[in-house]
Amino acid sequence: MTDTARWTNWSGFVEGSPRRILNPDNLDGVVEAVKTAPGPLRVVGAGHSFTPLALTDGTMLSLEKFQGLVSHDTAANVARVRAGTKLGSLMRLLQDIGQGLPNMGDIDKQAIGGALGTATHGSGRRFGAYHTQLEAMQFVDGRGEVRELTLTKDRDMIHATGVALGAFGVLTEVALRNIPTYRLHRRKWVLPIKEMLAEFEPMMGAHRSAEFYYVPFSGHAQFIASDLSDKPVSPRPPEEDEEGLATLRKLRTMLRLAPWLRGMIIRSVMARLPAEDYVQDWLNVYASDRRTRFNEMEYHLPFEEGPKALAEIVELTEKRFAEVYFPMEVRSVAADEFWLSPFYRRPTCSIAIHHDAANDPRPFMRAAEPIFRKYGGRPHWGKMHNLKAADFEELYPRWKDAMAVRRDIDPEGRFVSPYMADLFGLK
Ligand SMILES: Cc1cc2nc3c(=O)[nH]c(=O)nc-3n(C[C@H](O)[C@H](O)[C@H](O)COP(=O)(O)OP(=O)(O)OC[C@H]3O[C@@H](n4cnc5c(N)ncnc54)[C@H](O)[C@@H]3O)c2cc1C
C-alpha cells in the first residue's frame, strides 16, 4: 500500500494523487479493498491509457501482483490467467504451453485486464479485439462479491461486461480461447497514399493481418502485411521506428515553413528504407518498443468509410498542423457482439493520430474529432476523445442495457470516479 503517491499515465498527460494505491496479492485482498478502501475505487493495469480512466483521488487498485497462468486446456486451446498478467509475459507463457494469441496490437506492455477494459486491438479483417477471446471471467463486483461467468452459461453477461472500462468490477482472472502456436511472414513496403487508398479494400483484405502508416507531408504510406508461414525463421531486423521518429521530428522543426521540401526529403528517406521481410514465431512479430512518448486519439469507423476519413484527416493535418510528425496508423478489426465494444456489429477501420507528448495535443485532436464523428466513428476507450453519455447512447445500440447491468453490479457506484460519472452521465 502506498499513501498519496503522485501517479501519471504512460504519456504523462494524466496525473493525480490517489489517496491510496493498493497492490493485493490474493482474491481476499481484492474483496477487502472493494468493501473497505476509500472510494472511488479504480483499477489500474499498466497505465497505458491516454484518458483518465484509471485515475482517482480515492483508491487505485493495481493487480501488479496478480500475474501468471492459472490453468489450461490443451485440446480446447484455452488458458486461464490472472488479470494483472502483462501481455509480454502472457505471450511467453502461452508459447510454453503450445498456444498463441491469434492477433496482437503494437505493444506488449499492457496488463490483460487493462487491454480487455478498453477493447484493445490489433489489425486484421478476420480478427476481433482481445475481448473476443473471452471464454470465462472471474471478477469482484461493487458489493465485494466474487462472480464467475462462462461464455457457455452467461453469454449475455460476458457480452455486457467483457469491455468494461473498469466500471463493472475488478477482473481477477480470465480464460482466453487461443490458437495453436504459429509462425508469421512479415513484410513492409512503401507506396503512394493515393494508391493505398484506391486499393484500400483489397489490400487490407489480402493478408491475415494488414495495416499501414501514413507519414504526414510525404504523400506516402508504409504498408505492413503478416501471413501464416511454415518456413524456417529468419532474423527480425532491428527496429528503426525510434530513429525514424527522430528524423521526422528534426525535419518538422527545421522545415515547418517549407512543407514541400519537408515532404520531398521524407519521401527520399522512405525510398531508402530497407525492405523488411522475415519469418518469426508469432510472439516475436507484433510488438514494438515505443520509447518516444506521445498522446493519441483513435476512432473506429465503419470499414468502408476509412479511406474518405483518412483523406480528410491528412488534409487537415497538412493544412493546419505543421507541428505533427508522427505517422498515422490505419488498421482493420472484425465486428463482435460485446455491448460496449467499439466494434459492436461493425467491421471496422481504425484510424489513430498521435501528437508529441512534449506539446499540448488538444487543438489537433479537437480539430480532427469532428471528421471522425462525421463518419460515424466510435472512440477507442483508452485514447483521447471528448464524447459523453448522450453521444455514446447514439453510437452504442445496447448502451442503456449495459448501464443497467453496471448499476446492478455496482449499485453504490464504488467504481465511479468523477471522470466515469461524466462518461456514463451519472451526475
Ligand atoms: C505506446 C502505446 C501503444 C498502444 N498500442 C495499442 C494498440 O496497438 N491497440 C490498442 O487498441 N490500444 C493500444 N494502446 C492503448 C492501450 O492498449 C489501452 O489504453 C489499454 O487499456 C492499456 O492497458 P493498461 O494495462 O495500461 O490499462 P490501464 O490504462 O491501466 O487501464 C485501462 C482500463 O482498464 C481497467 N482495468 C485495468 N485492469 C483491470 C482489471 N483487472 N479489472 C477491471 N478493470 C481493469 C482500468 O480501470 C481502465 O478503465 C496503446 C497505448 C500505448 C501507450
Side-chain angles (χ1 to χ4, degrees):
M1 185 184 94
T2 321
D3 279 324
T4 52
R6 194 93 194 128
W7 181 87
T8 66
N9 72 335
W10 176 85
S11 74
F13 190 78
V14 181
E15 55 177 335
S17 298
R19 203 164 139 195
R20 279 193 193 163
I21 299 181
L22 297 178
N23 299 280
D25 59 8
N26 59 48
L27 194 54
D28 288 345
V30 176
V31 169
E32 173 76 12
V34 171
K35 286 186 173 166
T36 63
L41 197 67
R42 296 298 298 160
V43 193
V44 66
H48 274 53
S49 293
F50 298 91
T51 50
L53 278 174
L55 193 63
T56 173
D57 57 8
T59 300
M60 185 176 267
L61 190 68
S62 161
L63 294 202
E64 184 69 37
K65 294 186 181 162
F66 247 83
Q67 301 208 43
L69 184 68
V70 177
S71 59
H72 68 284
D73 177 338
T74 304
N77 276 306
V78 171
R80 187 172 172 108
V81 297
R82 292 185 186 85
T85 307
K86 300 288 183 330
L87 296 184
S89 320
L90 179 63
M91 297 189 310
R92 288 184 288 278
L93 71 80
L94 290 180
Q95 177 78 358
D96 286 348
I97 57 170
Q99 299 184 17
L101 293 165
N103 200 12
M104 288 190 74
D106 294 340
I107 58 162
D108 61 7
K109 304 292 184 248
Q110 306 97 320
I112 184 65
L116 294 167
T118 62
T120 291
H121 63 97
S123 191
R125 290 209 69 180
R126 284 181 292 119
F127 295 98
Y130 290 109
H131 60 264
T132 59
Q133 291 179 247
L134 276 170
E135 279 291 309
M137 304 160 56
Q138 178 193 69
F139 66 91
V140 179
D141 71 16
R143 297 183 180 87
E145 276 163 27
V146 180
R147 297 205 186 193
E148 298 273 353
L149 303 177
T150 61
L151 195 58
T152 38
K153 286 202 220 113
D154 314 289
R155 182 167 287 270
D156 263 9
M157 272 300 278
I158 292 237
H159 287 160
T161 61
V163 177
L165 295 81
F168 291 62
V170 183
L171 206 52
T172 42
E173 290 181 7
V174 290
L176 301 174
R177 181 171 294 278
N178 300 305
I179 58 174
T181 54
Y182 57 99
R183 212 162 256 184
L184 288 174
H185 179 195
R186 174 88 140 193
R187 283 174 300 148
K188 281 187 189 176
W189 66 93
V190 171
L191 75 167
I193 188 68
K194 277 200 181 126
E195 222 172 87
M196 178 65 237
L197 293 184
E199 297 297 313
F200 177 75
E201 195 152 349
M203 281 187 76
M204 295 297 273
H207 303 277
R208 183 182 189 275
S209 162
E211 65 180 297
F212 68 93
Y213 285 90
Y214 173 69
V215 184
F217 301 92
S218 76
H220 281 64
Q222 185 175 50
F223 190 76
I224 306 176
S226 302
D227 291 290
L228 289 179
S229 172
D230 52 11
K231 296 214 173 89
V233 296
S234 50
R236 175 176 168 169
E239 276 183 38
E240 311 246 347
D241 295 5
E242 293 297 323
E243 291 76 3
L245 280 176
T247 306
L248 291 173
R249 185 172 49 231
K250 211 183 288 169
L251 288 170
R252 179 281 311 261
T253 308
M254 284 162 42
L255 298 173
R256 218 180 160 112
L257 299 176
W260 179 81
L261 185 57
R262 178 178 173 184
M264 200 181 77
I265 298 174
I266 298 174
R267 274 194 299 280
S268 76
V269 173
M270 287 175 82
R272 280 185 276 119
L273 283 177
E276 199 172 290
D277 190 330
Y278 66 87
V279 174
Q280 270 293 338
D281 290 329
W282 67 279
L283 72 169
N284 299 322
V285 174
Y286 297 105
S288 299
D289 200 11
R290 296 273 184 255
R291 276 169 284 147
T292 307
R293 305 274 157 148
F294 54 81
N295 284 298
E296 181 175 347
M297 170 180 274
E298 183 176 49
Y299 263 77
H300 302 300
L301 314 153
F303 180 77
E304 62 286 358
E305 304 288 12
K308 279 180 277 170
L310 181 69
E312 284 192 41
I313 293 287
V314 168
E315 191 184 346
L316 169 84
T317 308
E318 296 181 351
K319 273 197 181 142
R320 290 183 38 206
F321 294 93
E323 84 266 21
V324 172
Y325 65 89
F326 272 86
M328 300 165 182
E329 187 175 17
V330 183
R331 296 183 271 188
S332 63
V333 186
D336 66 50
E337 290 294 325
F338 287 73
W339 300 359
L340 293 185
S341 163
F343 317 109
Y344 180 76
R345 299 203 170 164
R346 198 160 89 174
T348 294
C349 168
S350 301
I351 302 180
I353 55 175
H354 310 77
H355 204 267
D356 193 316
N359 308 113
D360 185 356
R362 286 168 294 190
F364 179 45
M365 306 289 177
R366 260 192 237 112
E369 195 162 37
I371 299 175
F372 289 132
R373 295 209 60 197
K374 184 172 87 181
Y375 289 102
R378 296 171 177 155
H380 188 304
W381 289 117
K383 302 188 185 178
M384 292 182 151
H385 68 83
N386 296 292
L387 270 50
K388 296 281 166 6
D391 306 308
F392 296 126
E393 214 174 306
E394 276 178 26
L395 289 170
Y396 285 85
R398 302 217 58 180
W399 179 259
K400 282 190 177 151
D401 298 333
M403 291 302 111
V405 170
R406 192 207 61 78
R407 272 195 305 279
D408 178 53
I409 287 177
D410 181 24
E412 304 294 325
R414 286 288 282 151
F415 303 110
V416 181
S417 60
Y419 175 76
M420 296 308 298
D422 212 23
L423 210 63
F424 288 167
L426 301 176
K427 283 183 179 158

